[in-house]
């Protein structure tokens, strides 16, 4: 049963936050032979950005010394994969990298992404 876009419904009660989205393009080799991730030019985006509950730290095996955010957005953020990097967001002058996500795009029009401060 499709109940409509929950992020859209929630945003009528809780305003969405502004952030910049940097889409990962791929790795390029620099002049000393190192692979360096490259990104598209940042675009302005909106989403619900929240703290990560400590219960999730345990469930996801997150490092308790790092800072995480939950980002709910209409964007299809790519997460870290073996041998690759991931998309990034800049929120309140801090850069976060997409780590893991719950993909609800096809069902409900949004994704929930755990991002780590880089």
């Amino acid at each position: 049963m499709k109940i409509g876009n929950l992020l859209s419904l929630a945003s009528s009660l809780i305003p969405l936050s502004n952030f910049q989205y940097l889409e990962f393009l791929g790795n390029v080799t620099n002049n000393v032979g190192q692979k360096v991730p490259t990104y598209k030019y940042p675009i302005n985006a909106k989403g619900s950005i929240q703290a990560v509950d400590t219960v999730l730290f345990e469930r996801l095996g997150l490092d308790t010394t790092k800072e995480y955010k939950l980002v709910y957005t209409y964007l299809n953020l790519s997460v870290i994969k073996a041998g690759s990097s991931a998309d990034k967001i800049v929120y309140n002058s801090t850069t976060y990298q997409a780590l893991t996500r719950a993909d609800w795009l096809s069902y409900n029009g949004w994704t929930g992404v755990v991002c780590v401060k880089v």
Side-chain angles (χ1 to χ4, degrees):
M1 171 173 96
K2 210 170 192 177
I3 58 172
N5 188 310
L6 292 177
L7 184 60
S8 181
L9 292 170
S11 69
S12 66
L13 299 172
I14 304 166
L16 298 178
S17 299
N18 295 312
F19 63 92
Q20 288 189 305
Y21 167 60
L22 293 88
E23 183 181 353
F24 174 68
L25 292 174
N27 292 321
V28 296
T29 305
N30 66 14
N31 57 357
V32 294
Q34 296 172 315
K35 291 196 181 246
V36 178
T38 58
Y39 296 87
K40 281 188 180 178
Y41 192 78
I43 62 167
N44 293 325
K46 288 186 178 259
S48 176
I49 301 178
Q50 304 169 14
V52 175
D53 191 302
T54 54
V55 172
L56 275 180
F57 275 69
E58 294 171 14
R59 264 193 225 152
L60 298 174
L62 301 177
D63 183 343
T64 58
T65 65
K66 295 185 178 179
E67 181 183 329
Y68 300 91
K69 294 288 185 196
L70 273 170
V71 179
Y72 297 99
T73 183
Y74 306 106
L75 298 169
N76 189 16
L77 274 73
S78 294
V79 297
I80 295 174
K81 298 176 192 128
S84 183
S85 193
D87 293 343
K88 293 181 179 179
I89 69 159
V90 178
Y91 172 68
N92 283 343
S93 303
T94 302
T95 302
Y96 298 87
Q97 188 169 43
L99 188 61
T100 184
R101 81 174 179 195
D103 187 357
W104 293 95
L105 274 175
S106 61
Y107 177 73
N108 219 351
W110 57 274
T111 57
V113 182
V114 175
C115 296
V116 60
K117 181 179 175 182
V118 292

